[in-house]
Amino acid sequence: MKAEVFLPDDYRPAEDEPFMNERQLEYFRRKLVAWKTELLEESRDTIEGLQESTRNIPDIADRASEETDRAIELRTRDRQRKLVAKIDAALRRIEEGEYGYCEVTGEPISLKRLDARPIATMSLEAQERHERREKVHRDD
């Protein structure tokens, strides 16, 4: 079992420390766990809300409006479910020592990018190349 890593409340990863040291890994692990917890709580709230709002609405326009709202909410939850899977994958990469490195080039992903998008698997440059290729193939 790994020892608990001390992390001050105001800690932010810095470029002048070794890349993906224990403190940085713990910072991103906590960030990912907090994000996942938040998403799961929102999902529970949605399920409870949907269960409570199953009622018979006589007005057809009101019923259509409520059905549209439900569909949007369910699509949002589906996107969040996929996001939770990506968070779990990032947590696995932390455990395996692969977190923070581009899956394409093997180069470190910038700390700013990881802080903004902790589930990132590619460096900004690799992501941009991937998106350009995707766009070219999509236009065919």
Side-chain angles (χ1 to χ4, degrees):
M1 180 141 158
K2 283 171 73 173
E4 180 82 15
V5 176
F6 172 72
L7 203 60
D9 290 338
D10 62 346
Y11 175 79
R12 293 286 176 268
E15 299 289 339
D16 64 348
E17 59 185 327
F19 187 70
M20 287 301 128
N21 62 54
E22 284 186 350
R23 288 171 61 160
Q24 287 182 355
L25 287 171
E26 181 63 15
Y27 171 82
F28 288 114
R29 189 190 70 72
R30 289 182 187 183
K31 187 171 189 146
L32 288 161
V33 167
W35 191 11
K36 179 180 175 180
T37 301
E38 179 185 326
L39 290 172
L40 292 176
E41 285 174 5
E42 288 175 11
S43 182
R44 270 191 296 276
D45 292 346
T46 297
I47 291 168
E48 289 171 9
L50 290 174
Q51 288 172 341
E52 291 172 5
S53 71
T54 53
R55 57 190 174 174
N56 190 8
I57 302 171
D59 183 62
I60 196 161
D62 288 344
R63 194 171 344 151
S65 176
E66 183 155 319
E67 287 300 318
T68 301
D69 291 347
R70 287 176 129 204
I72 291 170
E73 189 66 33
L74 289 172
R75 269 198 311 269
T76 300
R77 292 299 152 235
D78 188 51
R79 277 195 301 275
Q80 289 180 338
R81 179 186 54 79
K82 292 174 185 171
L83 190 53
V84 167
K86 289 180 180 183
I87 292 170
D88 286 339
L91 290 168
R92 267 192 308 281
R93 287 193 307 278
I94 287 174
E95 292 302 314
E96 295 167 359
E98 299 170 1
Y99 184 80
Y101 295 92
C102 179
E103 65 183 12
V104 175
T105 66
E107 295 292 314
I109 300 172
S110 77
L111 292 173
K112 286 182 181 179
R113 177 164 169 73
L114 287 171
D115 207 25
R117 186 147 179 87
I119 58 172
T121 59
M122 290 187 251
S123 66
L124 187 58
E125 297 78 18
Q127 182 71 40
E128 287 172 345
R129 278 193 306 273
H130 172 75
E131 288 174 4
R132 277 195 301 273
R133 275 195 304 273
E134 205 173 65
K135 185 179 186 316
V136 167
H137 294 298
R138 197 173 352 137
D139 290 344
D140 289 344

